[in-house]
DNA sequence: GAGTTTGAAACT
DNA sequence: CAGTTTCAAACTC
């Protein structure tokens, strides 16, 4: 494992926070209750934000950001509403030691302290001593610990704060934020089968400790919605099983994968991976979920797609399940997945449908968990050590999971940032990377030097780059290119699609998109990155755009390419070399300008001499920005008042308009031709608006031919020029076609009138 | 598609 | 840090 200098952290923020590169996912603006992350959080996450997306990026809010979150069962129509729910703008914290997942920002201590100040305990969902600590980022949120229930716990039982031993056999719907009553817990495993199959909804109840008494816990709702699609009625395994929490410490405990996610045509797969691809990336638009898996885990993981709405204090984590998810697979995977792997993964689907967050168990640490949270562009994952987690329970049934309030005492050692949600792809068994994207993904995983966790990172695959956060103490960062995930998925040994329980998403764009050179997200996402053509650099130098963008070469034309998983060592070395040479080598070149200057400018400026900075040789021009004072160009014409530039821009605009018009014309013509063919093509079946008869019959063709021939003869007799003759013939042909179409339409109408 | 131009990256 | 070389993309024909 390589640790890069703290400078790496400095380059992360810009890209991370550059939300322009993030694929646009509809995210409703939070109502007044939305909690904004504090800029001060940047201390732990040194990000330079070109756009004020901090809160959104860190937000786990998925389905709704409004104060009131309502989860409705698609089948039964039952709904659970939580008032005062807000976006949970908290990163995840994972405690490998105690299976704790803390959804909180680096400054989780702040939230924890705040919670303590009000006398509240972090809400914990425990399973056999495993805790999920969900805390709001920044100030107002109180940490919530989701502790997995013991197997023997009874369904529907709400856990009070401090009762870490009590176990809930199943997920419960818990409302957090002012509501004292607990939602009825979803039925037991057996019940869940029926209930879930019917309702396709799973609710996770999370009890929140109240400051004064645990009797009236504040609730936040975690609901799981399973897509009925593809769900076989005979399926013996209910989606609820997916949410089952098993004791990781137990050797026979099946790997736990809890997917709280929108399954929107996306597949989430948790694969026991041995590697984590972490590499410094250049652009913010890419976010890759990196899995830190134990090399020893070789069993299948269970994944559960859960729409989760988590309201914590004033913060809310909302996850809605998409309808496209295949619950059948989930159930299957869960039923099949058994105790071999100690991996827990939680996937949370957001409204956007393509976004996921995954918390993956780190290495062999039993406490490591995977969490996928869809719906949030930017995610935070922190790994913390939980000192109070209890792990004695045995996983009873697939449907048993409980949420308890519990103590949170953990040492933060690792922080994982995940942003740029993407459509999940099948994961490889060798890697625990969970998410894939239509857009580029990048995973930044801060790693802390805690000794107990350090061993885990030794299992990271080559290419992993870990960097300590500047002044972050025990917090560091690791950047992983989304491409890594893609490669893992493309690897021959990656075949979890069938076992993942999630349908493999189709049409997923494997090539990550970067807001390269300041291009907008739409620009970068609308067109695929050009394949490189490197011949001598082995794609391991910045000459290679793929490498420079932190991507693996994919479908490129390069020769002797080393920018792939097969040459991880070389790649890592090259990355280090580049970083040694220039710590900001992978930082976006287009950043924010000085005060009063343009919002975007080249970080280093160009050095053009002959192009006048009006050709794409110039990086400024290529990025569609003006040259700035830091440029060293000669004969620059790329400034605001430049007539050459204006002319060029006008020409470019005109050309673009022409292209658009041509495209539209082609589309229209194609549509017309298609429509014509539809009308004239003989159709046996009368469905789909097709004409029931064959109108272009042999007789029609012969008649048309006669007409055309007659027109030709007429032209010849009148000694018309060839061009005129052709025109006449074509004109006649057009008339023939019109008559055919007219006849066809009339015949169809007549047919319809007689109901044929 | 081949060859040229260009400027960033890499090297000295 | 400056000059030179290498490199791959952009551009031209």
């Amino acid at each position: 494992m390589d640790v890069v200098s703290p400078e790496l952290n400095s380059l992360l923020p810009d890209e991370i926070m550059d939300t322009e590169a993030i694929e646009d996912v509809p995210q409703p603006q939070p109502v007044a209750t939305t909690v904004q992350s504090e800029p001060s959080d940047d201390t732990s996450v040194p990000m330079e934000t070109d756009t004020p997306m901090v809160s959104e990026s860190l937000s786990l809010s998925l389905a709704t950001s409004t104060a009131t979150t309502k989860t409705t069962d698609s089948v039964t129509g039952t709904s659970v509403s939580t008032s005062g729910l807000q976006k949970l703008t908290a990163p995840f914290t994972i405690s490998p030691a105690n299976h704790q997942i803390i959804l909180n920002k680096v400054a989780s201590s702040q939230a924890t302290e705040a919670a303590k100040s009000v006398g509240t305990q972090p809400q914990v969902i425990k399973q056999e001593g495993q805790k999920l600590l969900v805390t709001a980022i920044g100030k107002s949120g109180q940490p919530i610990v989701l502790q997995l229930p013991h197997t023997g716990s009874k369904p529907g039982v709400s856990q009070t704060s401090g009762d870490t031993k009590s176990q809930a056999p199943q997920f419960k719907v818990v409302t957090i934020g002012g509501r004292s009553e607990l939602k009825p817990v979803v039925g037991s495993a057996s019940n869940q089968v029926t209930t879930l199959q019917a309702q396709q909804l799973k609710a996770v109840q999370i009890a929140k400790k109240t400051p004064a008494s645990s009797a009236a816990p504040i609730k936040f709702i975690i609901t799981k919605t399973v897509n009925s699609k593809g769900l076989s009625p005979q399926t013996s395994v209910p989606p609820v099983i997916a949410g089952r929490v098993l004791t990781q410490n137990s050797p026979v405990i099946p790997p736990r994968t809890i997917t709280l996610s929108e399954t929107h045509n996306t597949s989430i797969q948790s694969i026991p991976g041995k590697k984590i691809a972490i590499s410094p990336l250049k652009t913010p638009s890419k976010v890759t979920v990196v899995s830190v898996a134990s090399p020893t885990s070789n069993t299948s993981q269970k994944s559960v797609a859960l729409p989760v709405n988590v309201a914590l204090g004033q913060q809310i984590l909302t996850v809605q399940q998409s309808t496209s998810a295949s619950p059948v697979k989930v159930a299957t995977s869960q039923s099949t997945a058994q105790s071999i792997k100690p991996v827990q993964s939680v996937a949370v689907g957001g409204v956007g449908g393509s976004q996921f967050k995954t918390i993956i168990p780190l290495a062999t640490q039993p406490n490591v968990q995977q969490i996928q949270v869809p719906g949030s562009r930017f995610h935070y994952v922190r790994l913390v050590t939980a000192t109070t987690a209890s792990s004695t329970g045995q996983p009873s049934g697939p449907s048993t999971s409980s949420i308890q309030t519990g103590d949170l005492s953990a040492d933060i050692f690792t922080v994982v940032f995940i942003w740029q949600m993407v459509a999940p792809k099948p994961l490889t068994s060798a890697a625990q990377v969970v998410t894939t994207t239509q857009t580029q993904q990048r995973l930044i995983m801060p790693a802390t030097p805690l000794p107990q966790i350090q061993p885990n990172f030794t299992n990271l695959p080559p290419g992993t780059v870990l960097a300590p956060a500047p002044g972050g103490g025990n917090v560091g960062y690791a950047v992983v290119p989304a491409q890594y995930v893609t490669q893992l998925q493309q690897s021959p040994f990656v075949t979890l699609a069938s076992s993942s329980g999630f349908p493999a998403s189709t049409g997923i764009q494997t090539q990550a998109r970067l807001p390269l050179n300041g291009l907008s997200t739409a620009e970068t996402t609308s067109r695929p990155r050009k394949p490189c053509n490197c011949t001598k650099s082995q794609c391991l130098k910045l000459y290679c755009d793929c490498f420079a963008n932190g991507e693996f070469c994919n479908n490129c034309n390069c020769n002797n390419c080393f920018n792939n998983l097969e040459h991880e060592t070389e790649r890592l070395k090259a990355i280090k070399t580049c970083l040694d040479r220039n710590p900001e080598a992978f930082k976006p070149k287009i950043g924010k300008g000085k005060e009063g200057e343009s919002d975007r400018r080249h970080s280093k400026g160009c050095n053009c001499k002959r192009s006048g900075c009006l050709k794409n040789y110039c990086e400024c021009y290529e990025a569609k920005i003006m040259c700035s004072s830091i440029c060293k160009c000669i004969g620059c014409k790329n400034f605001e008042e430049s007539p050459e530039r204006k002319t060029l821009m006008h020409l470019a605009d005109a050309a673009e308009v022409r292209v658009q018009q041509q495209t539209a014309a082609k589309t229209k013509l194609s549509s017309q031709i298609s429509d014509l063919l539809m009308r004239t093509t003989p159709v046996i079946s009368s469905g789909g608006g097709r004409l029931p008869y064959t109108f272009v019959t042999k007789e029609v063709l012969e008649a048309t031919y006669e007409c055309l021939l007659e027109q030709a003869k007429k032209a010849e007799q009148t000694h018309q020029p060839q061009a005129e003759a052709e025109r006449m013939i074509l004109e006649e042909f057009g008339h023939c076609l019109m008559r055919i179409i007219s006849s066809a339409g009339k015949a169809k109408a007549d047919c319809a009138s007689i109901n044929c």
Side-chain angles (χ1 to χ4, degrees):
Chain A
M1 173 181 68
D2 293 336
V3 175
V4 300
S5 60
E7 286 80 359
L8 177 60
N9 291 315
S10 63
L11 60 89
L12 294 175
D14 285 327
E15 299 176 353
I16 294 171
M17 300 310 297
D18 185 357
T19 57
E20 291 180 353
I22 297 171
E23 182 180 2
D24 188 13
V25 175
Q27 293 183 352
Q29 291 299 323
V31 184
T33 58
T34 300
V35 175
Q36 298 295 330
S37 63
E38 291 296 328
S40 62
D41 292 338
D42 290 341
T43 57
S44 62
V45 182
M47 298 177 183
E48 180 182 358
T49 61
D50 293 339
T51 57
M53 298 297 292
V54 175
S55 62
E56 181 179 5
S57 297
L58 295 176
S59 174
L60 295 176
S61 172
L62 300 177
T64 64
S65 61
T66 60
T68 300
T69 300
K70 181 177 182 179
T71 301
T72 301
D73 186 334
S74 61
V75 175
T76 62
T78 60
S79 65
V80 175
S81 297
T82 59
S83 63
L85 295 180
Q86 292 178 343
K87 289 176 67 178
L88 177 60
T89 59
F92 290 113
T93 300
I94 301 171
S95 173
N98 292 323
H99 298 287
Q100 287 183 344
I101 297 172
I102 296 174
L103 301 178
N104 191 4
K105 205 171 184 177
V106 174
S108 63
S109 60
Q110 181 180 359
T112 303
E113 292 176 357
K116 292 180 179 178
S117 64
V118 296
T120 61
Q121 293 294 329
Q123 292 180 348
V124 176
I125 298 172
K126 291 181 179 179
Q127 174 185 5
E128 296 297 327
Q130 293 178 347
K131 295 179 181 179
L132 293 175
L133 176 60
V134 179
T135 62
I137 295 174
K139 24 190 183 182
S140 61
Q142 292 178 350
I144 296 172
V145 176
L146 302 179
Q147 183 175 2
L148 297 177
H150 293 286
T151 58
S153 61
K154 294 179 180 179
V157 175
S158 64
Q159 298 301 324
T160 60
S161 62
D163 184 4
T164 59
K165 293 180 179 179
S166 63
Q167 296 173 347
Q170 58 192 11
F171 290 100
K172 298 177 182 178
V173 176
V174 176
T175 301
I176 297 172
R179 294 184 62 182
S180 62
E181 70 279 10
L182 294 175
K183 300 297 291 185
V185 175
V186 177
S188 62
S190 62
N191 293 335
Q192 290 174 345
V193 173
T194 303
T195 302
L196 292 177
Q197 289 176 350
Q199 294 178 348
Q200 297 300 318
L201 171 66
K202 180 178 182 179
V204 176
Q205 181 178 7
I206 299 171
K208 178 182 179 180
K209 285 185 179 180
T210 59
S213 69
S214 62
I218 298 172
K219 300 174 181 178
F220 73 90
I221 297 172
I222 297 173
T223 60
K224 175 185 178 179
T225 302
V226 176
N227 182 3
S228 61
K229 263 185 178 180
L231 177 60
S232 170
Q234 294 79 10
T235 300
S236 62
V237 177
V240 176
I241 294 171
R244 176 182 59 186
V245 177
L246 299 177
T247 301
Q248 293 177 343
N249 291 335
S250 174
V252 295
I253 295 169
R256 297 182 302 170
T257 299
I258 298 172
T259 300
L260 302 178
S261 65
E262 178 182 10
T263 57
H264 209 43
N265 289 331
T266 60
S267 65
I268 299 170
Q269 294 177 346
S270 298
I271 298 168
K274 296 178 180 179
K275 297 177 180 180
I276 296 172
I278 299 173
S279 65
L281 291 183
K282 177 182 179 179
T283 62
S285 63
K286 298 177 180 177
V287 176
T288 299
V289 175
V290 175
S291 67
V292 178
S294 90
T296 59
S297 63
N298 55 2
T299 63
S300 63
Q301 292 178 341
K302 293 181 179 179
S303 64
V304 176
L306 298 176
V308 175
N309 293 332
V310 176
L312 178 60
Q314 293 178 346
Q315 294 174 342
I316 181 173
L317 171 62
T318 301
V319 176
Q320 288 181 346
Q321 181 181 2
S322 66
T323 59
S324 63
S326 173
V328 174
K329 291 181 179 179
V330 173
T332 301
S333 65
Q334 291 176 345
S335 63
T336 58
Q338 295 301 325
S339 59
I340 298 171
K341 254 180 110 171
V343 174
Q344 289 180 342
S345 66
V346 175
V348 177
V351 176
S354 64
Q355 294 179 346
F356 295 88
K357 181 176 184 177
T358 300
I359 296 172
I360 300 168
L362 295 174
T364 59
Q365 293 295 329
N367 294 329
V368 177
Q369 294 177 343
Q370 292 179 344
I371 294 173
Q372 284 184 339
V373 178
S376 175
R377 292 180 179 177
F378 183 87
H379 292 289
Y380 229 43
V381 175
R382 171 178 291 180
L383 300 177
V384 299
T385 60
T387 59
T388 61
S390 64
S391 64
T392 58
Q394 292 298 326
S396 62
S399 63
T400 61
S401 65
S402 66
I403 297 169
Q404 289 178 333
T405 61
D407 294 338
L408 173 62
S409 62
D411 294 335
I412 297 170
F413 62 91
T414 301
V415 176
V416 176
F417 296 94
I418 299 171
W419 71 100
Q420 179 72 33
M421 292 298 97
V422 297
K425 286 183 177 180
L427 295 178
T428 64
S429 61
Q432 290 181 343
V433 175
V434 175
T435 58
T436 61
T437 175
Q438 293 176 345
T439 60
Q440 280 188 341
Q441 303 172 342
R442 177 181 293 182
L443 174 65
I444 295 173
M445 184 176 67
T448 62
L450 292 181
Q452 65 270 24
I453 297 176
Q454 287 294 327
N456 292 335
F457 294 98
T458 59
N459 294 327
L460 296 175
T464 299
V465 176
L466 299 177
N474 58 355
V475 176
Y477 300 96
V479 179
V480 177
Q483 199 74 11
Y484 195 99
V485 175
T486 301
Q487 279 206 345
L488 291 175
Q489 294 173 345
Q490 293 175 347
S491 300
F493 53 84
V494 176
T495 56
L496 293 179
S498 61
S499 63
S500 64
F502 295 91
S505 61
T506 59
I508 295 173
Q509 189 174 358
T510 58
Q511 187 67 42
R513 287 294 160 288
L514 295 178
L516 183 60
N517 293 333
L519 293 179
S520 64
T521 301
E523 291 173 316
T524 57
T525 57
S526 61
R527 60 173 181 268
R529 180 187 57 79
K530 292 182 179 179
C532 73
N533 301 295
C534 306
T535 58
K536 297 180 179 178
S537 67
Q538 296 177 326
C539 297
L540 290 182
K541 293 187 177 181
L542 295 178
Y543 298 127
C544 176
D545 286 345
C546 301
F547 179 79
N549 291 333
E551 302 173 10
F552 287 101
C553 286
N554 184 23
N555 297 326
C556 294
N557 303 317
C558 44
N559 295 329
N560 194 23
C561 179
F562 277 42
N563 187 26
N564 49 45
L565 285 175
E566 286 73 21
H567 300 85
E568 293 176 340
T569 303
E570 292 84 353
R571 187 173 185 271
L572 173 61
K573 186 177 180 180
I575 292 172
K576 289 182 62 179
T577 300
C578 290
L579 290 174
D580 291 341
R581 184 183 301 115
N582 179 16
E584 298 182 354
F586 296 97
K587 188 175 183 178
K589 293 180 179 178
I590 307 302
K592 202 169 186 177
K594 295 179 180 179
E595 193 71 21
E597 294 184 354
S598 176
D599 290 340
R600 297 165 58 243
R601 74 168 187 175
H602 198 286
S603 59
K604 292 168 55 181
C606 68
N607 299 292
C608 304
K609 297 176 178 64
R610 305 174 64 89
S611 65
C613 299
L614 290 180
K615 292 186 177 181
N616 283 335
Y617 298 126
C618 175
E619 292 189 348
C620 297
Y621 180 83
E622 186 182 24
K624 294 181 172 58
I625 59 176
M626 307 294 176
C627 288
S628 64
S629 58
I630 62 174
C631 292
K632 306 173 193 65
C633 44
I634 298 173
C636 180
K637 298 175 182 177
N638 185 25
F639 54 92
E640 184 65 34
E641 297 79 10
S642 172
E644 292 88 349
R645 189 192 69 85
K646 290 181 180 179
T647 301
L648 210 57
M649 289 300 174
H650 292 160
L651 292 175
D653 292 341
E656 185 177 359
V657 170
R658 283 197 300 271
V659 170
Q660 292 177 352
Q661 291 175 344
Q662 292 175 354
T663 302
K666 289 179 180 178
T667 302
K668 184 178 180 180
L669 180 61
S670 176
S671 176
Q672 291 175 343
I673 293 173
S674 177
D675 183 66
L676 179 62
L677 292 175
M678 287 289 293
R679 293 186 181 186
T680 58
T681 300
V683 178
I684 297 175
S685 62
S686 61
R690 289 186 176 183
L691 297 174
Y693 301 114
T694 298
F695 296 96
V696 186
T697 61
K698 181 180 179 181
E699 291 75 13
V700 171
L701 291 175
E702 290 178 350
T704 303
Y705 169 76
E706 291 296 333
C707 291
L708 298 180
L709 186 61
E710 185 66 23
Q711 198 69 7
K713 289 179 180 179
K714 183 179 178 180
E716 185 179 14
Q717 291 173 355
T718 56
H719 303 287
Q720 297 291 335
Q722 183 177 357
E724 180 63 17
E726 291 176 351
R727 188 194 65 80
M728 293 172 62
I729 295 171
L730 288 175
E731 193 175 66
E732 179 61 23
F733 181 68
H735 292 161
C736 292
L737 286 178
M738 291 301 296
R739 286 193 292 269
I740 293 171
I741 293 171
S742 177
S743 299
K746 183 179 180 180
K748 182 179 181 181
D750 295 340
C751 178
S753 64
I754 61 176
N755 193 21
C756 64

